[in-house]
Amino acid sequence: MLEARNLSVNYGMIRAVREISFTLAKGELVSLLGANGAGKSTTLKCIAGALKAGGGSIMLDCRDITSASPEQVVRAGLATVPETRDVFPDLTVSENLMLGAYIHRRDRAGNRENLQRVHHLFPRLAEREAQAAGTLSGGEQQMLVIARALMSRPAVLLLDEPSLGLAPAIVDRIFEMIETLKRTGLTILLVEQNVNQALAVADRAYVMRLGRIVASGTADEIRATTDLTKHYLGG
Ligand SMILES: Nc1ncnc2c1ncn2[C@@H]1O[C@H](COP(=O)(O)OP(=O)(O)OP(=O)(O)O)[C@@H](O)[C@H]1O
Ligand SMILES: [Mg+2]
């Protein structure tokens, strides 16, 4: 469904991502793990079309999206939830959600149907549809950005540290929601620092360090063979 081949991303002279290759099969939930600065967000931004690849290729469902713009990538069926958790604070929850449906703006009936599906997944957002997004709690804002991404009706969802900075109970809710999304058949690439929870929900994982993929395998294999502490503490 999604394949990166020898993908590199540079910031000027800084080589943030160095010839990484990975695949996600349809319906798979794959975690991308690694310490701060490993290159995880850079990888997601490049797939999303927000950063140019310095080399290599990205294929989405057999289409080459290596040089696609962010809008083209969304139209091709891939939505990204960046780590910045940006909502439009002065717009309501509903208005934020409808912005996520931008590429389908002429399909009103389809959007209404999809909005119901999203409300069903996130009852809290349904209750707060008229509230200004800027006044939502951190956990609710995270749910809103995920819900907004779903409004584009993606086949593949990239999530960058959805649990960052949230209270443990909310983190549990976010992970439950990710598992629910997986059950709907969505293909998910999940970047997380929360290693144990990320491995608990993932089919497979890749571990990045200093811009490279240094380990990959099923969650069990990663647990058994990789000294995650070493990678996380940057040793
Ligand atoms: N805009 C930028 N300009 C220059 N260097 C950057 C820029 N953004 C990121 N980098 C560098 O690229 C490397 C990878 O950063 P990236 O944000 O991808 O890491 P990450 O794995 O997402 O880390 P974290 O877990 O802290 O979010 C880091 O060394 C970082 O300093
Ligand atoms: Mg990051």
Side-chain angles (χ1 to χ4, degrees), residues 7 10 20 29 39 50 52 61 87 95 98 109 145 149 178 194 196 201 220 222 224-225:
L7 183 67
N10 309 313
I20 65 168
L29 198 173
K52 263 199 163 63
D61 203 11
V87 298
E95 288 164 345
M98 290 321 290
V145 289
I178 292 170
N194 212 323
N196 290 328
V201 297
D220 287 341
I222 295 278
T225 61

Side-chain angles (χ1 to χ4, degrees), residues 86-89 91-100 133 144 148:
D86 300 316
V87 298
F88 296 94
L91 299 183
T92 65
V93 167
S94 284
E95 288 164 345
N96 270 274
L97 289 175
M98 290 321 290
L99 285 171
L144 177 57
R148 189 176 60 200

Side-chain angles (χ1 to χ4, degrees), residues 34-42 44-45 83 160-161 164 191 193:
N36 291 122
K40 307 178 300 294
S41 297
T42 301
L44 295 202
K45 286 177 194 162
E83 60 190 334
D160 198 349
E161 303 210 35
L164 191 71
V191 166
Q193 299 267 349

Side-chain angles (χ1 to χ4, degrees), residues 9-17 32-45 51 83 160-161 164 191-193 208 210-211 232:
V9 190
N10 309 313
Y11 296 106
M13 297 298 286
I14 299 167
R15 299 176 63 210
V17 171
L32 186 58
L33 309 173
N36 291 122
K40 307 178 300 294
S41 297
T42 301
T43 301
L44 295 202
K45 286 177 194 162
L51 286 175
E83 60 190 334
D160 198 349
E161 303 210 35
L164 191 71
V191 166
E192 264 296 335
Q193 299 267 349
M208 283 187 82
L210 302 175
Y232 278 89

Side-chain angles (χ1 to χ4, degrees), residues 155-178:
V156 180
L157 183 67
L158 311 185
L159 294 170
D160 198 349
E161 303 210 35
S163 75
L164 191 71
L166 301 177
I170 308 295
V171 171
D172 290 347
R173 294 266 306 279
I174 298 274
F175 276 97
E176 277 166 26
M177 195 270 312
I178 292 170

Side-chain angles (χ1 to χ4, degrees), residues 20-67:
I20 65 168
S21 297
F22 59 85
T23 58
L24 275 80
K26 193 168 165 31
E28 238 188 341
L29 198 173
V30 173
S31 284
L32 186 58
L33 309 173
N36 291 122
K40 307 178 300 294
S41 297
T42 301
T43 301
L44 295 202
K45 286 177 194 162
C46 182
I47 297 170
L51 286 175
K52 263 199 163 63
S57 64
I58 308 162
M59 302 292 288
L60 175 66
D61 203 11
C62 303
R63 289 165 71 179
D64 189 330
I65 57 159
T66 315
S67 308

